[in-house]
Amino acid sequence: MLFAISCGKKALYVAFSGGLVLAVTLATVTWWSVESLRKDTLTRINFAQHHIDTIISNARAVANVTRNLAGMPCTGNTLSQLRHDVIRTPNVRAIDLVRQGRIYCTSLYGATDEPDRLSLPSARNNLQLLPGNTATPHLSVLVYRTTRPKGTLLISIDGYFVAETLFAIRTLPLVYFQVGNTLMSKSGQILTPAQLPAGKREFITSPDWSYRLVIVTPTGILFGNIVHNYRKSVLVCLLLALAASLLCYRILTRPLTPVEQLQNALARHEFVPYIQPIVDITTHRIKGGEILIRWKHPEAGLIPPDQFIPLAETSGLIVPMTRQLFADTGRFFQAHTARLPAGFHLGFNISKSHLADRHLMEDCQNILAELLPCRAELVLELLERDTAECTAEMKTAFSKLKQEGIKFALDDFGTGYSTHACLQNFSTDYIKIDKSFIQMAGVDDISRHIVDNVIALAESLNINIIAEGVETASQEAYLQGRNVKYLQGYRYGRPVSLDQFIKNHLSGGDGPFFTGSPALAYQAEQ
Ligand code: C2E
Ligand code: CA
Ligand code: CA
C-alpha cells in the first residue's frame, strides 16, 4: 500500500536512496582499486625479489669460487685472484679476507689490518646491510659473509643495485629492503624501523635469504589512487546516485492510482457517515435514518458516494470502508442514545460482496449492543438488482443475520430484476421505492401505475414501504393517500453529518420530534 508521504519524509527518502547507492558503488570502487593495487604491487615485488635474489646469488657464487683463499696470506697472487673475481662478478664491489676477527686482505687496497666490525652474532644470518664502508662511507653496502675453516670471506655488494631494483619496479606503495634492523629505501637511504612512514605494513620474506621486503601503504596513497585512476568510475557512482534519487523522487511523486487514493483516504479516515432522516408521516416523528457515506477529501471537499462506491466495490475496499462506517456510527450514537426514539431505525447500504464477509455479523451485533438502550432497529439495505441472484451463500448469511434480529430492506425497488422468489427468500422487512418513481408519480401515468402496483404488492406480502426522494407536498399527499407510512427525501432533510442530524431533528424540548417545518426542506448538506 502506498500512503501519502509528507514533503520532509520524501526529501529524506530521496536523499537516503541516493546516499545508499553512492555508498555501495563507492565502496565497490574502493574495494576494486585496493585489490587491483594489491595484485599489481605483488607482481612487481615478486619481480624485485627475484632480481635481488639473483644479486645475492652472484655474491654466493663468487664466494664459492674464492673459498680456497679464505685464510691464505695476502700475497700478490691472492690479490690478483680476488680482483679478477670481483671484476667478473656483476654487482660485487669488493672481497675481503678475515682471520681471527681482523680484515687482513681486501681486493680494494691489498693488505690491511682492520677489526672485523661486521662480525655477526648469528652465523646463520649471512647478510648485513650497512650505510657504507671504509672505502665508500656514503654508499650503502650489502655484505655477504661466508666462513670457512681457515678464515672468513666478506663479499660486498653495492647497495645501489638493490635500491635501483626497488626504484625500477615503480610501485605506488613504498617498498623497503630490510636486513636485520636496517632498512633501505628505493633512493638508497638507510633507515631504522622507527623511521618508516605511517601506513598499512605488509612483509614479504625471502625464502632463501635472510632479508625481507617491507610494503608501506599510507592511506592517502589509496585515496590518491582512486582519484587518479578511477576518476571515471567515481563519476559513474555519482551519476548512479543521482539516478537513484531521481527514480525515488519520481516514484514518490507519481500520481496515485484511483485505488491507491481510496486506500489512502481509508487509512486517513476520510470516509465519514452522513445520515438522512426517515420519517413516520402518521406521527410526524423521526423514525430513524439512512447512513450515507461521504468522502471528506482534503482538497476536493465533500465527494458523493456515486463517484467512489463502484471502484470501492470492484477493488474490495467497500468492506473495510463499510466497517469503518459501522464503527463510527455506533460510537457516535452510543453517546446519544438518550435522544434517540425507541426502535430507532438505522439503515446501512450493504454491497452484495459484503454479505459473505465473516465480520459483518460481529459488526451488526456490536452496533445493536451499543444502541441497546433505545432498542434500535438495524436495517441492511441491499440493492434489488444485487439480490436477483439469490446464491446459497447469500441465503445462509441472510438467515443467520435474520436470526440475530437484523432487518433487511430491498433498495431502489422497481429498478432491478425484482422477483417474488427473491422477496420470499429474503423475507424482506422493507422495500424502498426508488426516488425516480416517486418523482415521476405526480407527472407520469406509467410511473404512478408502477408505484401503485409496488404498493399493492408490498401490502399483499405485508412488507413495510419506505418512499425515497420525497421532495414536494403533492408527492407527500399522494403517498399518504396510499397509506405509505415511511418517507425519506429532501422535504424532511438532506443527508447531514451525525452531529447535525442530532441538532436538526433530535434536539427538541419535548424529546424526539420531527417538525415538518418547510425550513428544513432543501437545506444544503452541511
Ligand atoms: P441510495 O441508497 O438510494 O440513497 C439515497 C440517495 O438519494 C442518496 O444519495 C440521497 O442523498 C438521495 N436522496 C435522498 N432524498 C432525495 C431527494 O429528495 N431528492 C434527490 N434528488 N435525492 C435524494 P447519495 O447519498 O448521493 O447516495 C447515492 C447512493 O450511493 C446511495 O443510493 C447508495 O446506493 C450509495 N451509497 C451511499 N452510501 C453508501 C454506503 O455506505 N455503502 C454502499 N454500498 N453504498 C452507499
Ligand atoms: Ca439505500
Ligand atoms: Ca435508493
Side-chain angles (χ1 to χ4, degrees), residues 186-208:
K186 65 179 179 184
S187 62
Q189 189 193 357
I190 297 295
L191 316 160
T192 63
Q195 290 172 302
L196 281 177
K200 188 180 152 216
R201 290 182 192 179
E202 285 169 279
F203 304 95
I204 308 253
T205 305
S206 166
D208 302 322

Side-chain angles (χ1 to χ4, degrees), residues 290-292 348-349 381-383 411-412 432 468 488:
E290 176 185 1
I291 297 295
L292 294 160
F348 280 92
N349 291 287
E381 298 188 9
L382 287 166
L383 285 175
D411 206 355
D412 291 0
K432 295 188 80 173
E468 283 184 332
Q488 176 182 353

Side-chain angles (χ1 to χ4, degrees), residues 14 45 81 139 178 241 246 276 364 367 460 465 493 505 525:
V14 168
I45 294 277
Q81 198 182 328
L139 294 177
Q178 181 174 18
L246 279 178
Q276 186 178 29
C364 289
I367 210 161
S460 70
I465 296 175
H505 304 286
E525 286 191 12

